[in-house]
Amino acid sequence: VHDRNHPDLVSMKMADSAVCAGEPRISVFAAFIRKIAKERGVSKAEAAALLYDLGVRGYDCGPDESDLEELAATKLKPINFYYFPDWFGRKSHDWKTHYSDRTSPEACLAKARKYGVPRIMVVPPNFTDGKDNPAEFEKILACMKAYVAEAKKLGITITVEDFGGTANCCSYAKYLKRMLTEIPDIKFALDSGNLYYAGRGEDILEMMAFAKGRIGHVHLKDQSHENNRSYVTLGLGAVPNEKIVRAVGASDYDGWYTLENPVGDTYNDTVRQAALVRAWLSFK
């Protein structure tokens, strides 16, 4: 029986309520914490405290990250797992090739409960030959349906994002729309720059409109006008981040805005990016 008062579910609710009323929920990737610690010569706990003082309250991480226990002990809350399941049985740990994790799908759910992570962004395996493969997508869709159902029993939300790697089904708007259409309980993790990164000319604003009412998480990044694979600090590139943030903020979305790519000094760029997101959301 699903117990909404289970301690794990309570901690998940706490992760999402770790922000004062009226504040935007701003988070970062776990790499920000590590980079600030290294650049400033401080501990990860001290780096997390610096981010906390900026109004950052959470971080995204993978279930396999070796310092997960250490990060979970800081002032920031783990609010999202990004997870690459090995649904095709490739058994490879080379994420650059196959995007597979050591953690099994069941273990990922267990870790989410342990650390109070309320949502898991699932990135399916790449197509075997890197090219569009409708038959393999049907297998991915079936696996995703089953995983969303299992996660729902545990009170965990599964999201799917527009992924930038062109060998992945999630770099195609047509497959993202199929998932959202055929899996009512899945949410869309809107990544502002990934369709631009994929380079097929698909429009993130159109995809955002299609997913209206289904957005479960937001990742913010920016890339240059000259090179869709070259990152720049938020708001200075080709990605329509201001339009995205203002549109999402004007909807009924009350979730997180995760900053993904620091440029230059990590702490100083986080100061800038967090202030920009607040300005776009009309927070003073």
Side-chain angles (χ1 to χ4, degrees):
V1 177
H2 178 50
D3 180 4
R4 294 186 179 274
N5 294 315
H6 190 284
D8 292 334
L9 300 182
V10 171
S11 64
M12 290 177 195
K13 294 174 184 176
M14 288 175 62
D16 272 352
S17 62
V19 177
C20 295
E23 275 190 70
R25 292 175 172 172
I26 297 177
S27 54
V28 296
F29 270 59
F32 280 56
I33 303 172
R34 301 186 193 103
K35 287 180 178 179
I36 290 172
K38 183 176 181 180
E39 291 167 3
R40 299 277 162 143
V42 297
S43 69
K44 292 174 190 174
E46 291 170 314
L50 288 172
L51 288 166
Y52 188 91
D53 289 343
L54 296 180
V56 174
R57 293 292 182 266
Y59 59 88
D60 290 35
C61 62
D64 262 337
E65 299 192 18
S66 60
D67 57 354
L68 188 54
E69 195 78 32
E70 182 181 6
L71 294 177
T74 70
K75 295 184 75 172
L76 304 182
K77 302 290 184 183
I79 53 91
N80 180 55
F81 273 165
Y82 39 81
Y83 178 53
F84 302 84
D86 184 21
W87 283 336
F88 288 168
R90 291 170 176 149
K91 304 300 181 186
S92 169
H93 302 327
D94 180 1
W95 68 270
K96 292 182 179 179
T97 303
H98 295 307
Y99 300 105
S100 61
D101 268 343
R102 294 184 299 275
T103 301
S104 70
E106 297 77 17
C108 182
L109 291 174
K111 281 192 176 183
R113 286 175 66 88
K114 176 182 178 181
Y115 291 104
V117 181
R119 66 191 57 78
I120 300 171
M121 188 189 80
V122 176
V123 182
N126 285 348
F127 291 133
T128 300
D129 61 2
K131 299 176 182 178
D132 188 357
N133 190 323
E136 284 192 348
F137 174 73
E138 295 303 327
K139 297 178 183 178
I140 289 168
L141 183 62
C143 289
M144 190 71 89
K145 286 178 179 178
Y147 201 52
V148 170
E150 285 303 307
K152 184 179 180 180
K153 295 175 186 176
L154 302 175
I156 297 170
T157 299
I158 300 298
T159 68
V160 61
E161 79 161 354
D162 48 308
F163 192 66
T166 55
N168 197 278
C169 68
C170 293
S171 67
Y172 296 83
K174 64 180 181 181
Y175 291 133
L176 293 167
K177 291 176 180 179
R178 280 278 309 278
M179 289 190 195
L180 289 170
T181 299
E182 297 192 27
I183 311 175
D185 291 317
I186 203 168
K187 298 290 186 180
F188 180 49
L190 188 163
D191 187 293
S192 64
N194 275 351
L195 288 184
Y196 179 56
Y197 184 97
R200 294 196 181 94
E202 295 188 303
D203 186 355
I204 185 57
L205 294 174
E206 190 276 332
M207 187 64 218
M208 179 178 68
F210 181 88
K212 184 178 180 180
R214 301 283 297 282
I215 296 173
H217 198 55
V218 175
H219 284 162
L220 299 174
K221 62 163 67 86
D222 213 341
Q223 295 108 271
S224 74
H225 291 272
E226 298 75 23
N227 182 355
N228 63 316
R229 302 292 178 92
S230 176
Y231 293 110
V232 298
T233 190
L234 195 68
L236 297 185
V239 179
N241 279 292
E242 182 174 359
K243 288 183 179 178
I244 290 168
V245 171
R246 288 189 182 276
V248 173
S251 71
D252 59 357
Y253 179 74
D254 64 351
W256 294 84
Y257 299 85
T258 297
L259 309 176
E260 188 166 346
N261 290 100
V263 177
D265 180 86
T266 304
Y267 176 79
N268 287 333
D269 198 47
T270 305
V271 172
R272 181 193 172 280
Q273 290 195 41
L276 190 60
V277 171
R278 287 194 184 89
W280 288 339
L281 292 169
S282 299
F283 285 93
K284 305 281 185 180

